Amino acid sequence: MASNPSAFLVARRDDGFGDVYPLQGGTRYTLGRAPTNRIVLRDELCSREHAEVFPAEGGWFVRDLGSLNGTHLNGEALRKEARLGPRDDLRVGRAQLVFIEDLTQLPDLPQGRPARPPDQGDGLEIKKRLGQTRYLPPVAPPPGATPTPDPARHETRIPPSQAVGVLYRLALDMADAATPAELAELVVDALFRATPAEVAAVLALKEGREFEPVAYRHRGPGQQTYHKVSNFLSHEVLSTKQAVLAENVAQERHLKDRDSIAELRVASLICAPVAADGQVVGLLHLYRTSITAPLNPDDLEFVLAAARQLGAVWHRLRQQASLAVENRSLKDQLKLESELVGESSALAKVEAQVRRVAETKATVLIRGESGVGKELVARAIHAHSPRKDRPYVTLNCAALTETLLESELFGHEKGAFTGATERMAGKFEAADGGTIFLDEIGEMAAATQAKFLRVLEGHPFERVGGNTPIKADVRVVAATNRPLEEAVRAGTFRRDLFFRLQVVQIDVPPLRDRADDVPLLAEHFLRRFVRETGRKIRGFTPEAVEKLRAYRWPGNVRELRNVVERAVALGAGPVIEAADVWLSELDVGAPVLSEGSGGGYRPESIDEVEKRHIRETLRHTDWNKSQAAAILGIERSTLDRKIKGYGLAK
């Protein structure tokens, strides 16, 4: 049972004071817009977690939680935590709060601003408030809130069968609604069927306590203009989160506010909160101008029940929309990071193979040098297959020991080995119905190869330390940069497993064999890293592109990715220049081949080879002659003579 509050925070309003937040000793209270806070403030200037009030050293303290607009105590911005005293003013965003240790300490209202009677305003008088409805189960108050007594809960009325039927039908129809607008139309229909309202509207709460009609309708022909809900009533509903029934008590000669709904001579009206996840997101508003058959407490019960149903479904639709946007963003990001980039004929051949094999269930062996993008090819196979909506699981066979690899692939039972403190499902179970990608398959131990081969042939498997057969429908895509034929001859890789994996083989060409793709890949990586870092870099200079094209890329696409990332991180200008492109010297000693030779031999003179080699070395150093001479192992003056003799120019 909660102890008596040791202090209070009271919301200050223009006309007096509003919500009272009791502070219990030993409890930390966060303030902000997020519903997870103990004190939730509906204010767009508040951060999600704006500030906190906490007990310490026999008193209460306040500190800012790194908010965007800051926290102010008695008009001064908080720089560090501060002790609160009676009648201290705390400003969080636009919210004004008064700290008191006893309710008798509330300060008097300013002179000339008398407190408004709580049940009158805009020419309207509230006749009944309702926080619960007999049509629905009671809703628990939010944490820290003080329950408000509701006299209607003690009345014993039998709910009209017609109203119950309308609510039931409304619940069924809401299940098929796809948008808030469809929901609002269904609710307006239900309000007209169950109440004598002449006008009914569903309003959405926008920033700054403004309301926007989602759906509204008049009963029958005539005036079709919707008049907004009274500011007085909307403020009361937002503050108390209770539905209200009001009547017009104003006289036309006393009306000064020409925007007031009382101007229409409304006889009775109802305003009910539409709450989602504990926060008011809208209102139900209906009124009647006729003094005959005015809206009554039974109508108020029904409207509140309809508002509760609307809030629950509205919240679900908002969550679905948010998840759909997030899912779409993640898919777009995954597609961007996993797509094959390039227009060369070598890559087009790979893409054609991917499209053909993706529709089948065949096991695929992807071969190529390290860094060529074998995993991207595997992802493309999965993304174009009928299994694209099922799991895609990856595992690097070279990163684990024999025991751990078997456990990762097939799972293990509790106590199967030291450290196995609980049962764990393996990658094959996790990928059931989808695709598993095994990188560096040539590093798999012989004992694991035998068990893996049985799974490939459709046999069930057991977890390590278990004896329960498990069967999984998994498509296997494997990759290697090792010559598996040599491993088979050496006896380190099973011959039958090799042939079982090589149902379809896709050879990914090295980047040096598709030099035309280098600029496209560089632009692709540049856009990615610019987006991640926020740098304002437009592109590459022609010299930088030529430097990238001339390099042989021994590390393939992975090396190119790293070069671009480094250039984005260290570049100082609006474009990437040749000096920003730092290339490794690991490939300096590689043989220089004739352009267009594809690696084959072509008869050339020594002078032709030397001229081309000097030109490529100068390009590599961005025409830094001292560095080029050092690489070539000649004097700077000798290099100058050869440049002049061969007619080379930058």
Side-chain angles (χ1 to χ4, degrees), residues 463-483:
R463 298 191 187 100
V464 176
N467 53 17
T468 303
I470 301 170
K471 193 170 179 64
D473 174 24
V474 178
R475 189 211 191 133
V476 175
V477 179
T480 181
N481 60 5
R482 288 182 55 187

Side-chain angles (χ1 to χ4, degrees), residues 98-291:
V98 179
F99 174 82
I100 55 176
E101 295 174 343
D102 187 275
L103 291 175
T104 60
Q105 295 175 346
L106 277 178
D108 296 330
L109 291 172
Q111 292 293 327
R113 190 186 287 175
R116 182 186 63 202
D119 289 335
Q120 286 192 7
D122 286 356
L124 301 167
E125 180 178 352
I126 296 176
K127 296 298 184 181
K128 188 177 183 62
R129 299 174 184 268
L130 196 62
Q132 304 285 0
T133 171
R134 61 178 179 266
Y135 294 121
L136 296 174
V139 177
T146 304
T148 304
D150 188 355
R153 299 305 302 157
H154 302 290
E155 299 178 9
T156 55
R157 293 195 188 95
I158 299 175
S161 59
Q162 180 183 0
V164 174
V166 173
L167 285 173
Y168 176 71
R169 182 65 194 177
L170 176 61
L172 295 179
D173 292 340
M174 279 181 167
D176 296 327
T179 65
E182 291 181 24
L183 279 178
E185 292 291 345
L186 292 172
V187 172
V188 170
D189 286 339
L191 294 176
F192 278 148
R193 288 200 302 271
T195 73
E198 296 172 7
V199 177
V202 177
L203 311 176
L205 179 63
K206 300 299 181 182
E207 298 293 338
R209 290 199 169 192
E210 292 295 324
F211 290 94
E212 179 182 75
V214 180
Y216 66 88
R217 200 180 311 158
H218 291 248
R219 189 191 297 271
Q223 177 69 18
Q224 296 298 307
T225 301
Y226 169 71
H227 293 268
K228 67 179 183 178
V229 65
S230 157
N231 290 333
F232 161 63
L233 285 186
S234 63
H235 181 80
E236 288 297 315
V237 171
L238 286 175
S239 299
T240 65
K241 297 182 181 178
Q242 291 181 315
V244 297
L245 168 65
E247 294 181 359
N248 189 354
V249 295
Q251 299 296 325
E252 186 173 358
R253 65 177 179 273
H254 294 147
L255 289 176
K256 298 179 181 179
D257 182 5
R258 303 304 296 174
D259 291 329
S260 170
I261 197 170
E263 177 183 353
L264 299 174
R265 299 184 183 180
V266 170
S268 57
L269 60 87
I270 288 175
C271 188
V274 178
D277 197 24
Q279 297 299 311
V280 177
V281 296
L283 298 177
L284 292 190
H285 179 218
L286 54 161
Y287 58 84
R288 188 169 168 78
T289 59
S290 173
I291 60 174

Side-chain angles (χ1 to χ4, degrees), residues 7-9 53 59-62 73-74 82-90 97-102 105:
F8 302 86
L9 284 176
V53 174
W60 287 88
F61 290 76
V62 61
L73 180 63
N74 297 323
R83 190 182 188 110
L84 291 168
R87 298 193 179 190
D88 276 351
D89 285 311
L90 185 63
L97 301 167
V98 179
F99 174 82
I100 55 176
E101 295 174 343
D102 187 275
Q105 295 175 346

Side-chain angles (χ1 to χ4, degrees), residues 3 54 67 106 168 230 315-316 326 331 348 374 456 500 557 562 582 650:
S3 60
F54 59 95
S67 64
L106 277 178
Y168 176 71
S230 157
H315 180 54
R316 175 176 57 80
E326 184 177 356
K331 283 186 174 180
K374 296 186 289 296
L456 279 181
R500 185 65 183 81
V557 179
N562 294 339
W582 187 90
K650 185 175 180 180

Side-chain angles (χ1 to χ4, degrees), residues 20 28 35 49 54 132 145 170 271 306 352 431 447 521 539 584 589 594 605 621 645 647:
V20 177
R28 171 179 171 267
E49 286 194 358
F54 59 95
Q132 304 285 0
L170 176 61
C271 188
L521 283 163
S584 171
S594 300
S605 68
T621 61

